[in-house]
Amino acid sequence: MATFGWPIILILNAVIIILVAIFLIWRVQKEKKAGYPMQDERTSKIQGKAALGTYYITLAFMVSIMLWNIFGNELLNLPELEMGYTVIAIMLVNGISFGLLSWYYAKKGEF
């Protein structure tokens, strides 16, 4: 098998981050020139509700992982979850739940 090259992956990650930053800066500048406000009251309310929901979902997910590791390992002899995959799962749940809740509250309309 070929050897795994960390430098290539690190450079690729840096390039992706820089490209995303350039895109976001370009979009903000484009919206400013068009006269759109960066954030209005409705957007603030939607993001606030989505952030609160995301907090509770992520908290429940982390508590369930903790209970899995405590009771599953001690009482049921289930395998313990690895830390790296657990952190990745928490980050995914956090990001996906915020995106879905933001979309849901934006489509819901008046609330």
Side-chain angles (χ1 to χ4, degrees):
M1 284 195 174
T3 60
F4 187 70
W6 276 106
I8 295 171
I9 292 176
L10 292 176
I11 291 170
L12 183 63
N13 283 342
V15 168
I16 291 171
I17 289 171
I18 290 170
L19 289 175
V20 168
I22 289 171
F23 172 74
L24 291 176
I25 291 170
W26 171 76
R27 193 175 86 183
V28 166
Q29 293 299 327
K30 185 175 115 177
E31 288 179 359
K32 278 185 182 179
K33 286 181 182 177
Y36 295 122
M38 292 306 299
Q39 194 168 13
D40 58 355
E41 294 172 12
R42 182 175 183 271
T43 307
S44 295
K45 194 171 183 180
I46 288 170
Q47 287 183 347
K49 286 190 79 157
L52 184 63
T54 299
Y55 171 75
Y56 289 130
I57 290 170
T58 306
L59 183 65
F61 185 69
M62 288 189 300
V63 168
S64 67
I65 289 173
M66 179 189 69
L67 292 175
W68 170 276
N69 276 336
I70 291 173
F71 295 114
N73 193 13
E74 296 294 326
L75 301 176
L76 304 173
N77 293 327
L78 295 173
E80 191 170 306
L81 299 174
E82 293 183 28
M83 183 183 70
Y85 293 122
T86 304
V87 171
I88 291 171
I90 291 170
M91 289 172 37
L92 287 173
V93 165
N94 195 3
I96 291 170
S97 64
F98 183 75
L100 289 176
L101 287 174
S102 295
W103 174 78
Y104 172 74
Y105 289 132
K107 295 293 179 195
K108 186 177 176 185
E110 292 292 323
F111 49 91

